[in-house]
Amino acid sequence: MALINRGKEIDARYKRVAPMCRALWRVFRLLSYAAAAAAALLGVIALVLLFVDVTAEELLFTPYMKVVTENGVSKFDVKLGNGIEVLRAYGEVDVSNIKGALYAGIFTLMATLAVCVPVFLFLSKLLKNIGSGRVLSEENAAYVNYMGLSIMIGNPLVLIIERYFNYALIKNFISGEIRFDFGIDLFGVLVGLLFIAIGSIYGCACAAHREETALVTVSAAETGGVSDDKRE
């Protein structure tokens, strides 16, 4: 009896997934469009920034760059990311330094959004199918694989871009010999491979279900034919 009740609880829990998917697939579809629009907007900002001709201080329109005064001396306070905050004398910073910092943030964010667009889009398609009852559609396995591929390729690229711009920023604001360490973070690759493995297993389950359904249909048709022959 306890096992039966436990089974009913599990069934009820999984039945709640479909309504959630029906509610969420549109959210992720909108998020994919929003990410694409934000990436395009950042591209326009990057292009416009090329032609901006103002002083370094007038270009400080982000919260991570500001001018501070310490002991009566004005300095630029720039947060470079990864816990690094640089203070540099006011006269030692020009507009190219500030533009470099802005481009670092713009292109890193654009790369992140470019990865989010396909992930959100394929996730919305997956949730839509599950919400409409197409749980064992082989399309779903493909969507999981596509998400894994996007993460596996996109995450290392985002990290490389981020590392390069961190290097460029530090070199831009700090004197001394600084070298770029290419490096590759395998975490995103492993996560992507995990998604692809899960998607492949999901695809096998969908294919097996399709074959079993086809066998049952053929068997039922043959059984029906035999019954008709007997009646005659």
Side-chain angles (χ1 to χ4, degrees), residues 166-186:
N166 281 340
Y167 154 77
L169 281 175
I170 293 172
K171 188 176 181 180
N172 202 14
F173 284 94
I174 299 175
S175 59
E177 184 178 357
I178 299 173
R179 298 177 181 177
F180 176 56
D181 179 18
F182 187 79
I184 295 179
D185 192 329
L186 295 178

Side-chain angles (χ1 to χ4, degrees), residues 152-170:
M152 187 175 67
I153 295 175
N155 182 259
L157 289 177
V158 170
L159 292 177
I160 289 172
I161 292 171
E162 185 179 8
R163 284 181 178 180
Y164 174 77
F165 278 113
N166 281 340
Y167 154 77
L169 281 175
I170 293 172

Side-chain angles (χ1 to χ4, degrees), residues 84-224:
I84 301 174
E85 184 175 1
V86 175
L87 291 172
R88 194 165 182 182
Y90 188 90
E92 295 178 356
V93 177
D94 58 23
V95 68
S96 64
N97 298 121
I98 302 302
K99 282 188 177 182
L102 292 173
Y103 277 121
I106 288 172
F107 287 122
T108 301
L109 186 54
M110 282 180 66
T112 303
L113 291 171
V115 176
C116 290
V117 170
V119 172
F120 288 156
L121 182 61
F122 291 129
L123 181 57
S124 72
K125 291 182 177 182
L126 173 64
L127 294 178
K128 183 179 181 181
N129 277 356
I130 294 174
S132 60
R134 301 177 61 195
V135 178
L136 292 175
S137 170
E138 293 179 41
E139 289 181 348
N140 298 340
Y143 295 148
V144 176
N145 285 338
Y146 292 149
M147 284 190 286
L149 190 62
S150 299
I151 294 171
M152 187 175 67
I153 295 175
N155 182 259
L157 289 177
V158 170
L159 292 177
I160 289 172
I161 292 171
E162 185 179 8
R163 284 181 178 180
Y164 174 77
F165 278 113
N166 281 340
Y167 154 77
L169 281 175
I170 293 172
K171 188 176 181 180
N172 202 14
F173 284 94
I174 299 175
S175 59
E177 184 178 357
I178 299 173
R179 298 177 181 177
F180 176 56
D181 179 18
F182 187 79
I184 295 179
D185 192 329
L186 295 178
F187 179 75
V189 176
L190 294 176
V191 172
L193 287 173
L194 179 61
F195 268 75
I196 292 174
I198 293 173
S200 299
I201 295 170
Y202 191 0
C204 288
C206 294
H209 173 74
R210 176 171 52 79
E211 292 174 0
E212 288 177 3
T213 303
L215 288 173
V216 170
T217 303
V218 171
S219 178
E222 291 176 349
T223 303

Side-chain angles (χ1 to χ4, degrees), residues 35-46:
L41 179 60
L42 288 171
V44 172
I45 293 173

